[in-house]
mmCIF file of all heavy atoms in Angstrom:
data_model
loop_
_atom_site.group_PDB
_atom_site.id
_atom_site.type_symbol
_atom_site.label_atom_id
_atom_site.label_comp_id
_atom_site.label_asym_id
_atom_site.label_seq_id
_atom_site.Cartn_x
_atom_site.Cartn_y
_atom_site.Cartn_z
ATOM 1 N N THR C 204 -90.809 36.121 12.950
ATOM 2 C CA THR C 204 -91.091 37.528 13.346
ATOM 3 C C THR C 204 -90.410 37.892 14.676
ATOM 4 O O THR C 204 -90.351 39.163 15.019
ATOM 5 C CB THR C 204 -92.600 37.852 13.588
ATOM 6 O OG1 THR C 204 -93.066 36.902 14.500
ATOM 7 C CG2 THR C 204 -93.338 37.618 12.275
ATOM 8 N N HIS C 205 -89.854 36.911 15.286
ATOM 9 C CA HIS C 205 -89.141 37.242 16.648
ATOM 10 C C HIS C 205 -88.031 36.182 16.839
ATOM 11 O O HIS C 205 -88.270 34.948 16.755
ATOM 12 C CB HIS C 205 -90.167 37.022 17.771
ATOM 13 C CG HIS C 205 -89.721 37.820 18.966
ATOM 14 N ND1 HIS C 205 -90.485 38.849 19.612
ATOM 15 C CD2 HIS C 205 -88.620 37.764 19.761
ATOM 16 C CE1 HIS C 205 -89.867 39.306 20.640
ATOM 17 N NE2 HIS C 205 -88.752 38.642 20.774
ATOM 18 N N ILE C 206 -86.846 36.578 17.005
ATOM 19 C CA ILE C 206 -85.748 35.713 17.231
ATOM 20 C C ILE C 206 -85.264 35.855 18.699
ATOM 21 O O ILE C 206 -85.253 36.909 19.237
ATOM 22 C CB ILE C 206 -84.503 35.926 16.291
ATOM 23 C CG1 ILE C 206 -84.068 37.345 16.335
ATOM 24 C CG2 ILE C 206 -84.868 35.535 14.925
ATOM 25 C CD1 ILE C 206 -82.742 37.576 15.469
ATOM 26 N N VAL C 207 -84.935 34.691 19.344
ATOM 27 C CA VAL C 207 -84.511 34.663 20.702
ATOM 28 C C VAL C 207 -83.215 34.098 20.789
ATOM 29 O O VAL C 207 -83.020 32.888 20.383
ATOM 30 C CB VAL C 207 -85.528 33.933 21.509
ATOM 31 C CG1 VAL C 207 -85.054 33.899 23.067
ATOM 32 C CG2 VAL C 207 -86.947 34.544 21.484
ATOM 33 N N PHE C 208 -82.143 34.832 21.236
ATOM 34 C CA PHE C 208 -80.773 34.352 21.455
ATOM 35 C C PHE C 208 -80.759 33.649 22.804
ATOM 36 O O PHE C 208 -81.200 34.240 23.816
ATOM 37 C CB PHE C 208 -79.778 35.409 21.273
ATOM 38 C CG PHE C 208 -79.687 36.034 19.881
ATOM 39 C CD1 PHE C 208 -79.982 37.300 19.659
ATOM 40 C CD2 PHE C 208 -79.323 35.207 18.852
ATOM 41 C CE1 PHE C 208 -79.830 37.853 18.433
ATOM 42 C CE2 PHE C 208 -79.237 35.689 17.492
ATOM 43 C CZ PHE C 208 -79.539 37.050 17.353
ATOM 44 N N VAL C 209 -80.167 32.452 22.846
ATOM 45 C CA VAL C 209 -80.080 31.757 24.126
ATOM 46 C C VAL C 209 -78.614 31.704 24.498
ATOM 47 O O VAL C 209 -77.786 31.027 23.776
ATOM 48 C CB VAL C 209 -80.638 30.268 23.959
ATOM 49 C CG1 VAL C 209 -80.632 29.567 25.311
ATOM 50 C CG2 VAL C 209 -82.067 30.324 23.342
ATOM 51 N N VAL C 210 -78.261 32.329 25.627
ATOM 52 C CA VAL C 210 -76.887 32.418 26.094
ATOM 53 C C VAL C 210 -76.635 31.458 27.278
ATOM 54 O O VAL C 210 -77.409 31.504 28.225
ATOM 55 C CB VAL C 210 -76.571 33.874 26.558
ATOM 56 C CG1 VAL C 210 -75.177 34.042 26.943
ATOM 57 C CG2 VAL C 210 -76.865 34.821 25.348
ATOM 58 N N HIS C 211 -75.581 30.760 27.108
ATOM 59 C CA HIS C 211 -75.294 29.794 28.248
ATOM 60 C C HIS C 211 -74.410 30.444 29.369
ATOM 61 O O HIS C 211 -73.992 31.604 29.285
ATOM 62 C CB HIS C 211 -74.491 28.605 27.680
ATOM 63 C CG HIS C 211 -73.117 28.950 27.100
ATOM 64 N ND1 HIS C 211 -71.976 29.212 27.970
ATOM 65 C CD2 HIS C 211 -72.701 29.166 25.870
ATOM 66 C CE1 HIS C 211 -70.965 29.435 27.187
ATOM 67 N NE2 HIS C 211 -71.329 29.453 25.969
ATOM 68 N N GLY C 212 -74.332 29.699 30.474
ATOM 69 C CA GLY C 212 -73.508 30.179 31.611
ATOM 70 C C GLY C 212 -72.241 29.407 31.677
ATOM 71 O O GLY C 212 -71.554 29.221 30.688
ATOM 72 N N ILE C 213 -71.935 28.942 32.944
ATOM 73 C CA ILE C 213 -70.688 28.242 33.180
ATOM 74 C C ILE C 213 -70.860 26.764 32.657
ATOM 75 O O ILE C 213 -71.974 26.279 32.508
ATOM 76 C CB ILE C 213 -70.282 28.300 34.616
ATOM 77 C CG1 ILE C 213 -71.289 27.505 35.465
ATOM 78 C CG2 ILE C 213 -70.139 29.730 35.040
ATOM 79 C CD1 ILE C 213 -70.882 27.369 36.920
ATOM 80 N N GLY C 214 -69.750 26.088 32.549
ATOM 81 C CA GLY C 214 -69.740 24.645 32.208
ATOM 82 C C GLY C 214 -69.700 24.367 30.798
ATOM 83 O O GLY C 214 -69.659 23.212 30.489
ATOM 84 N N GLN C 215 -69.640 25.272 29.914
ATOM 85 C CA GLN C 215 -69.727 25.064 28.412
ATOM 86 C C GLN C 215 -68.456 24.396 28.001
ATOM 87 O O GLN C 215 -68.393 23.702 26.988
ATOM 88 C CB GLN C 215 -70.096 26.307 27.667
ATOM 89 C CG GLN C 215 -70.317 26.081 26.155
ATOM 90 C CD GLN C 215 -71.657 25.424 25.952
ATOM 91 O OE1 GLN C 215 -72.493 25.323 26.988
ATOM 92 N NE2 GLN C 215 -71.914 24.907 24.800
ATOM 93 N N LYS C 216 -67.372 24.726 28.634
ATOM 94 C CA LYS C 216 -66.070 24.113 28.183
ATOM 95 C C LYS C 216 -66.097 22.597 28.511
ATOM 96 O O LYS C 216 -65.469 21.816 27.694
ATOM 97 C CB LYS C 216 -64.887 24.771 28.983
ATOM 98 C CG LYS C 216 -63.540 24.200 28.654
ATOM 99 C CD LYS C 216 -62.403 24.881 29.454
ATOM 100 C CE LYS C 216 -61.023 24.296 29.103
ATOM 101 N NZ LYS C 216 -60.043 24.951 29.918
ATOM 102 N N MET C 217 -66.829 22.174 29.493
ATOM 103 C CA MET C 217 -66.878 20.763 29.798
ATOM 104 C C MET C 217 -67.763 20.075 28.790
ATOM 105 O O MET C 217 -67.397 18.872 28.457
ATOM 106 C CB MET C 217 -67.468 20.675 31.192
ATOM 107 C CG MET C 217 -67.653 19.221 31.805
ATOM 108 S SD MET C 217 -68.138 19.318 33.449
ATOM 109 C CE MET C 217 -69.628 20.356 33.349
ATOM 110 N N ASP C 218 -68.684 20.650 28.255
ATOM 111 C CA ASP C 218 -69.610 20.043 27.240
ATOM 112 C C ASP C 218 -69.817 21.045 26.165
ATOM 113 O O ASP C 218 -70.824 21.869 26.305
ATOM 114 C CB ASP C 218 -70.859 19.540 27.877
ATOM 115 C CG ASP C 218 -71.706 18.648 26.884
ATOM 116 O OD1 ASP C 218 -71.299 18.467 25.743
ATOM 117 O OD2 ASP C 218 -72.684 18.076 27.297
ATOM 118 N N LYS C 219 -69.103 21.080 25.121
ATOM 119 C CA LYS C 219 -69.158 22.293 24.178
ATOM 120 C C LYS C 219 -70.428 22.473 23.451
ATOM 121 O O LYS C 219 -70.892 23.565 23.190
ATOM 122 C CB LYS C 219 -68.089 22.112 23.132
ATOM 123 C CG LYS C 219 -67.879 23.341 22.257
ATOM 124 C CD LYS C 219 -66.641 23.158 21.333
ATOM 125 C CE LYS C 219 -66.843 22.021 20.303
ATOM 126 N NZ LYS C 219 -65.760 22.031 19.379
ATOM 127 N N ASP C 220 -71.110 21.310 23.182
ATOM 128 C CA ASP C 220 -72.421 21.382 22.457
ATOM 129 C C ASP C 220 -73.657 21.372 23.354
ATOM 130 O O ASP C 220 -74.772 21.193 22.942
ATOM 131 C CB ASP C 220 -72.545 20.265 21.502
ATOM 132 C CG ASP C 220 -71.475 20.201 20.396
ATOM 133 O OD1 ASP C 220 -70.944 21.325 20.099
ATOM 134 O OD2 ASP C 220 -71.088 19.123 19.988
ATOM 135 N N ARG C 221 -73.399 21.685 24.679
ATOM 136 C CA ARG C 221 -74.563 21.534 25.610
ATOM 137 C C ARG C 221 -75.574 22.684 25.332
ATOM 138 O O ARG C 221 -76.760 22.379 25.418
ATOM 139 C CB ARG C 221 -73.995 21.734 27.090
ATOM 140 C CG ARG C 221 -75.067 21.741 28.145
ATOM 141 C CD ARG C 221 -76.045 20.605 28.169
ATOM 142 N NE ARG C 221 -75.367 19.331 28.164
ATOM 143 C CZ ARG C 221 -76.004 18.135 28.002
ATOM 144 N NH1 ARG C 221 -77.331 18.232 27.744
ATOM 145 N NH2 ARG C 221 -75.403 17.061 28.072
#
Side-chain angles (χ1 to χ4, degrees):
T204 58
H205 202 124
I206 55 176
V207 181
F208 294 119
V209 185
V210 181
H211 64 80
I213 66 173
Q215 190 68 14
K216 182 181 178 181
M217 183 171 51
D218 189 356
K219 188 174 67 173
D220 297 332
R221 173 55 54 186

